[in-house]
Amino acid sequence: MASLGKIARRTFLIGSAAIAGGVAFGVYAARQPFPNPNLDDLSEGSASFNPWVIVDNERVTLIAPHADKGQGVFSTQAALIAEELDIELDQVEVSFGMPDQAYFNTAITEAAAGFPMYDHSPTAERVRGFLGGVAKLAIPMMATGGSSAMPDVYTKLREAGATARETLKLAASEESGVPVADLRTERGAVILPDGTELPYTALAARAATLAPVTDVALRDPSQWRMLGQPMDRIDIVQKSTGTLPYGIDFRTDDMRFATVKVNPRQGGAMNGYDASAAEAMPGVERIIEITGGVAVVANNTWRAIQAANAIEFDWGAAPYPADQAAHWEHLAGIFDDEHLNAEARVEGDVEAAAGEEITGEYRSPYIAHAPLEPLNATILVTEDRVDIWTGHQVQQFVEQVVAEITGHEVDNVHLHNQFMGGSFGHRLEFDFIRQAAEIAHQMRGTPVQMTYSREEDFVHDFPRHITMGRGVAKVLDGQVNALDVQIAGQSVMRSQMGRMGLSLPGPDTQLHEGAWDAPMFNLPNFRVRSYLTEALAPVSSWRAVGAGPNVFIFESLLDEAIHAAGADPLEERIRLMGHDVSVGVLEAVGDMCSWNGANIGEGRGRGVAYGFSFGVAVATVVEVTNTDGGIKLDHVWVAADVGRVLDPVNLENLAQGGTVFGLGHAINCEITYADGMAEQTNYHAHEGMRIWQCPPIEFRALENNPKIRGFGEPPIPPSAPALGNAIFAATGQRIREMPFNKHIAFV
């Protein structure tokens, strides 16, 4: 195993100091479950055995608390419970539930431990356990992000289903006099030896009087009925017919509709405004001042947006460089000790290593989140309570933010989480929640739905952070002998956490994620350093966070070195790996595309790239043709190892969707600033991949990973470098900057 590097040691020392200083929480306390929130207002005759299962005399309800923004986690959570509960998904209702610390995400802190996620050593696991315990007691966060949903719920939801099943069997035993050992369950009923079926709903009242049976054994995957098999997502019919309600579709009596205008120079002041023209427009009811801008309230959203566009504003200056060139110039000047975020990985001696040098500078731009459903929230504030209807990824913080604005106790603020039409990280933010709450607070008793215009969604986004990578590689005797990677950018975590009122102690690991943890243990000389600035535009988590730009930097430099060495791009990557799971995905993708290193024809090329993010190894091969009109994408192959596969169809969809997402943004998308404002304000200027550009994408899932992992983000990082490497193979042109369409045409 490679050395852990300075960042890992620093994290461990911080943890050790906290324990020595008496900050550590007892193991017993950290392991205790939170109280079951369903018991607070459970109706008579209903039973809830844990926070995830409710049974009454009419139905079984499963709670799937992780937010669904299109990745399918709503269905998979329900299937995990139903598998052990012995009930079919067409027999249950599924709910997001209400925000509560009982739904604390146990996996979201794993990456913060400072160890690569392939490191399962006792030391790494102890530090992860310590951090998880501290987080649970200090900030028990109900959150969906970082591809952590499946690692979080894989065991706990199966245990929830098994507990409910065994408790219902105990209730049936007391009803019938038949020993529990002689009972079985099937399709939502306990079956007596004579074949009599006792539906769970009929057993609810008696089960409610019993202590839940928590000493349960989980079934071996060989006994699974639905998990591991192709499943129909429970939302697929509604999504296919356009009937699934999203946050923007919510309606209730006497609603008003609002939109906002705030300074497009993020963080700049509003010096003044003239709303006289807007006030006279049809349907406009109120103009309300909010922090940093104004809101227009009207009788429908379109009229509110039209009126907002008619307001004349005097906006203050941006607190960051006004023009894009200055952003790049600033990054170029921070590769020094003063701005060092971390020397994250050190193996051997990259400076003393022998070999021919290859150098490169690589750039990844700001990118907008741009979910198809614009940000929105509906809020009703009354004297006694507040109700919120929106889709969000950090549910408890939504309630806290709104409570601070309205003056209510948090217990009287209730979020009804909704399906989201995409997020990609934007619905981790709270600016739109605050704005909606400020409006509703000034219109108490009236439900108000605030919706961003598409332009507001773009210009007031907190985009993916800008990065500049500088690399030096050395090749010797036909092999890569050294890689020295430097990455400069903003701290996503400090920017984002700062807006939540939180702080980030120590370095930001996302600034070098996807590079420092590349499991190339057979590379004798390897160094990764990251450099931090907070002087540029405010940024946020964008799908795959640090790994997206960093894998592009790392894999592009590596590919240049491999070609300079005269080695085979796939075989040399396999040689450098000392990680069996990673070798497996590289070998698999080579098998899928029949890679043999041979020239595949004039003007054609294949590129391979590997990415490790969120504990998942992914290998991607892209094949292109250089036509008279530009680059045509012919075929893509993707192999990944997420550990246990729960839904192969959904996993393949995530692989294909993530690859399209990664390729489309690499080809077309960037946010640039002029006069402190984002220049791209709609999809025409920030264009995803078009249908006619999309190649066939083949996917293969492996199951050698010792831990189950999430897959919402890992397909994205290797997509861009695989395409860039394929373009080089086909044309001889090396592209070191995204978006690629600035340098080459596509058809």
Side-chain angles (χ1 to χ4, degrees), residues 65 144 159 195 201 228 244 255 291 294 334 456 458 518 526 561 564 567 595 598 620 641 712 719:
T144 305
E159 289 177 344
T201 51
L244 184 76
M255 276 180 66
T291 302
V294 301
I334 69 167
E456 190 73 15
F458 265 85
F526 185 16
W595 181 288
T620 300
D641 197 324
S719 301

Side-chain angles (χ1 to χ4, degrees), residues 487-559:
I487 302 166
Q490 300 126 296
S491 171
V492 173
M493 293 297 102
R494 288 185 184 177
S495 183
Q496 189 170 343
M497 292 174 68
R499 292 188 291 276
M500 297 172 66
L502 303 174
S503 60
L504 177 70
D508 184 350
T509 60
Q510 286 301 325
L511 203 50
H512 43 258
E513 195 80 5
W516 84 287
D517 50 353
M520 294 190 171
F521 307 138
N522 297 326
L523 177 61
N525 304 287
F526 185 16
R527 180 170 67 182
V528 177
R529 290 170 289 175
S530 58
Y531 300 88
L532 170 67
T533 180
E534 298 184 43
L536 300 180
V539 292
S540 184
S541 295
W542 189 91
R543 198 173 177 190
V545 200
N550 295 342
V551 169
F552 171 67
I553 294 166
F554 184 89
E555 283 288 309
S556 297
L557 174 66
L558 176 60
D559 205 67

Side-chain angles (χ1 to χ4, degrees), residues 315-394:
W315 298 124
Y320 47 82
D323 297 307
Q324 187 61 40
H327 290 240
W328 291 117
E329 183 179 351
H330 178 83
L331 277 189
I334 69 167
F335 289 90
D336 54 36
D337 290 344
E338 178 186 349
H339 294 91
L340 184 67
N341 174 63
E343 189 172 54
R345 178 84 170 262
V346 180
E347 309 290 343
D349 189 334
V350 295
E351 293 175 354
E356 174 193 352
E357 282 195 4
I358 297 92
T359 63
E361 182 177 281
Y362 309 88
R363 297 185 176 192
S364 293
Y366 294 112
I367 296 181
H369 295 90
L372 187 61
E373 179 196 11
L375 297 185
N376 64 87
T378 303
I379 302 182
L380 172 60
V381 179
T382 65
E383 294 305 313
D384 299 328
R385 63 180 282 152
V386 181
D387 287 279
I388 311 157
W389 295 268
T390 191
H392 206 276
Q393 296 173 239
V394 194

Side-chain angles (χ1 to χ4, degrees), residues 55-77:
V55 182
D56 60 28
N57 60 4
E58 294 183 351
R59 66 183 63 84
V60 176
T61 301
L62 309 182
I63 308 299
H66 275 287
D68 197 309
K69 45 199 184 292
Q71 80 277 37
V73 73
F74 190 69
S75 286
T76 312
Q77 289 175 99

Side-chain angles (χ1 to χ4, degrees), residues 71-72 75-76 79 83 150 224-233 638 640 642-657 697-703 708 711:
Q71 80 277 37
S75 286
T76 312
E83 183 69 69
M150 284 303 101
W224 284 349
R225 301 170 295 108
M226 60 181 78
L227 294 175
Q229 310 298 320
M231 289 187 285
D232 289 334
R233 281 170 47 166
V638 180
V642 298
R644 181 70 63 184
V645 174
L646 300 179
D647 182 349
V649 173
N650 198 55
L651 193 72
E652 181 179 35
N653 291 341
L654 287 170
Q656 294 169 334
I697 301 171
E698 295 184 37
F699 174 63
R700 182 182 297 180
L702 284 71
E703 296 185 277
I708 190 166
F711 202 50

Side-chain angles (χ1 to χ4, degrees), residues 241-517:
T241 57
T243 56
L244 184 76
Y246 293 88
I248 202 169
D249 299 315
F250 180 78
R251 294 292 183 271
T252 189
D253 294 339
D254 301 321
M255 276 180 66
R256 296 298 183 270
F257 301 86
T259 195
V260 298
K261 281 282 189 178
V262 294
N263 195 333
R265 303 181 183 100
Q266 290 276 39
M270 180 181 69
N271 298 324
Y273 67 96
D274 179 359
S276 55
E279 290 170 337
M281 294 178 71
V284 173
E285 298 183 7
R286 292 185 65 177
I287 308 291
I288 296 175
E289 289 195 20
I290 60 172
T291 302
V294 301
V296 177
V297 181
N299 59 7
N300 66 46
T301 300
W302 176 250
R303 285 177 165 173
I305 291 173
Q306 294 299 104
N309 290 336
I311 300 175
E312 296 181 4
F313 290 95
D314 177 13
W315 298 124
Y320 47 82
D323 297 307
Q324 187 61 40
H327 290 240
W328 291 117
E329 183 179 351
H330 178 83
L331 277 189
I334 69 167
F335 289 90
D336 54 36
D337 290 344
E338 178 186 349
H339 294 91
L340 184 67
N341 174 63
E343 189 172 54
R345 178 84 170 262
V346 180
E347 309 290 343
D349 189 334
V350 295
E351 293 175 354
E356 174 193 352
E357 282 195 4
I358 297 92
T359 63
E361 182 177 281
Y362 309 88
R363 297 185 176 192
S364 293
Y366 294 112
I367 296 181
H369 295 90
L372 187 61
E373 179 196 11
L375 297 185
N376 64 87
T378 303
I379 302 182
L380 172 60
V381 179
T382 65
E383 294 305 313
D384 299 328
R385 63 180 282 152
V386 181
D387 287 279
I388 311 157
W389 295 268
T390 191
H392 206 276
Q393 296 173 239
V394 194
Q395 295 95 312
Q396 285 166 280
F397 271 77
V398 171
E399 294 183 334
Q400 292 177 24
V401 164
V402 173
E404 291 170 2
I405 292 170
T406 65
H408 290 73
E409 296 294 327
V410 174
D411 288 346
N412 295 325
V413 179
H414 306 279
L415 170 65
H416 311 273
N417 214 25
Q418 307 291 301
F419 279 95
M420 306 174 211
S423 170
F424 318 119
H426 204 172
R427 285 180 165 90
L428 290 166
E429 292 291 338
F430 296 89
D431 51 332
F432 70 105
I433 300 294
R434 290 189 174 94
Q435 292 157 357
E438 289 187 30
I439 300 166
H441 179 51
Q442 297 181 61
M443 296 185 63
R444 290 193 168 211
T446 300
V448 182
Q449 182 177 91
M450 190 282 296
T451 304
Y452 275 13
S453 67
R454 179 65 64 197
E455 290 74 18
E456 190 73 15
D457 195 274
F458 265 85
V459 301
H460 208 265
D461 189 14
F462 300 99
R464 184 180 79 176
H465 63 300
I466 188 176
T467 57
M468 179 181 290
R470 291 177 177 171
V472 178
K474 295 181 180 180
V475 299
L476 183 68
D477 298 331
Q479 296 182 339
V480 178
N481 190 43
L483 288 175
D484 187 10
V485 180
Q486 300 180 74
I487 302 166
Q490 300 126 296
S491 171
V492 173
M493 293 297 102
R494 288 185 184 177
S495 183
Q496 189 170 343
M497 292 174 68
R499 292 188 291 276
M500 297 172 66
L502 303 174
S503 60
L504 177 70
D508 184 350
T509 60
Q510 286 301 325
L511 203 50
H512 43 258
E513 195 80 5
W516 84 287
D517 50 353

